[in-house]
Amino acid sequence: MRFLKIALVISALFLFILSCDQAPTGNNAANNSAVTGTTNNANGNNANVFNNMPVNIPPDVAQDETASGRKIFMEICSNCHRENGTGGKITIEGKTINPDNLTTDKMKKMADEKYVDYIKNGVPDEGMPAFGDKLSDAEIQNVISFIRKELQK
């Protein structure tokens, strides 16, 4: 009887660990379009990244907000702001936009609340889409933490 109880506890623990280890899938392509939400992935196939974005970060990644922010930034933000955060002009579907250089002194001095507003609500006149319905408040904070710690140093 004791063996059966131990086996049940171990099985339940195994299933719990297995279910926590399942990460949502997202699109890692580097040339995603902020305007259309489509990208040509490594195979040349078009994919819609805004609908395939990671919405829930696995618990092991969520513990490290910078790692979580890095993952989200690389999958979503680097498409326009580049992996190093320097931004610059980019043409998407015939429209030229000029994403901010996140490494400038101006952007370093910008309040986190302003970043939250830009990420949640977008900046339509400048071509930045809103991500408030795609990312949780914690995920947005993680992206800002990554920008502050890794890109702005």
Side-chain angles (χ1 to χ4, degrees), residues 29-51:
N31 295 322
N32 295 339
S33 164
V35 175
T36 64
T38 59
T39 183
N40 288 324
N41 61 22
N43 299 326
N45 299 326
N46 235 3
N48 188 327
V49 282
F50 297 148
N51 292 330

Side-chain angles (χ1 to χ4, degrees), residues 45-152:
N45 299 326
N46 235 3
N48 188 327
V49 282
F50 297 148
N51 292 330
N52 295 325
M53 288 189 299
V55 175
N56 297 312
I57 302 299
D60 57 331
V61 176
Q63 293 176 3
D64 182 353
E65 65 183 26
T66 304
S68 170
R70 178 184 302 110
K71 181 180 187 309
I72 296 167
F73 185 90
M74 293 303 170
E75 289 180 357
I76 301 168
C77 311
S78 68
N79 305 318
C80 295
H81 291 282
R82 298 195 174 101
E83 288 184 11
N84 62 4
T86 58
K89 289 187 179 181
I90 183 172
T91 301
I92 300 170
E93 290 191 356
K95 182 179 180 184
T96 301
I97 59 173
N98 192 10
D100 287 326
N101 178 344
L102 302 174
T103 66
T104 64
D105 286 338
K106 173 187 167 193
M107 297 304 285
K108 288 178 184 179
K109 292 175 185 174
M110 184 181 294
D112 286 0
E113 293 78 22
K114 197 68 169 171
Y115 277 96
V116 170
D117 180 54
Y118 286 166
I119 294 169
K120 277 189 171 185
N121 303 313
V123 186
D125 293 340
E126 295 181 19
M128 180 171 170
F131 293 99
D133 61 339
K134 305 283 189 219
L135 299 172
S136 69
D137 290 344
E139 290 170 323
I140 291 171
Q141 287 300 324
N142 291 348
V143 170
I144 295 168
S145 176
F146 168 74
I147 292 168
R148 297 288 194 205
K149 292 177 184 175
E150 300 287 327
L151 301 179
Q152 296 177 344

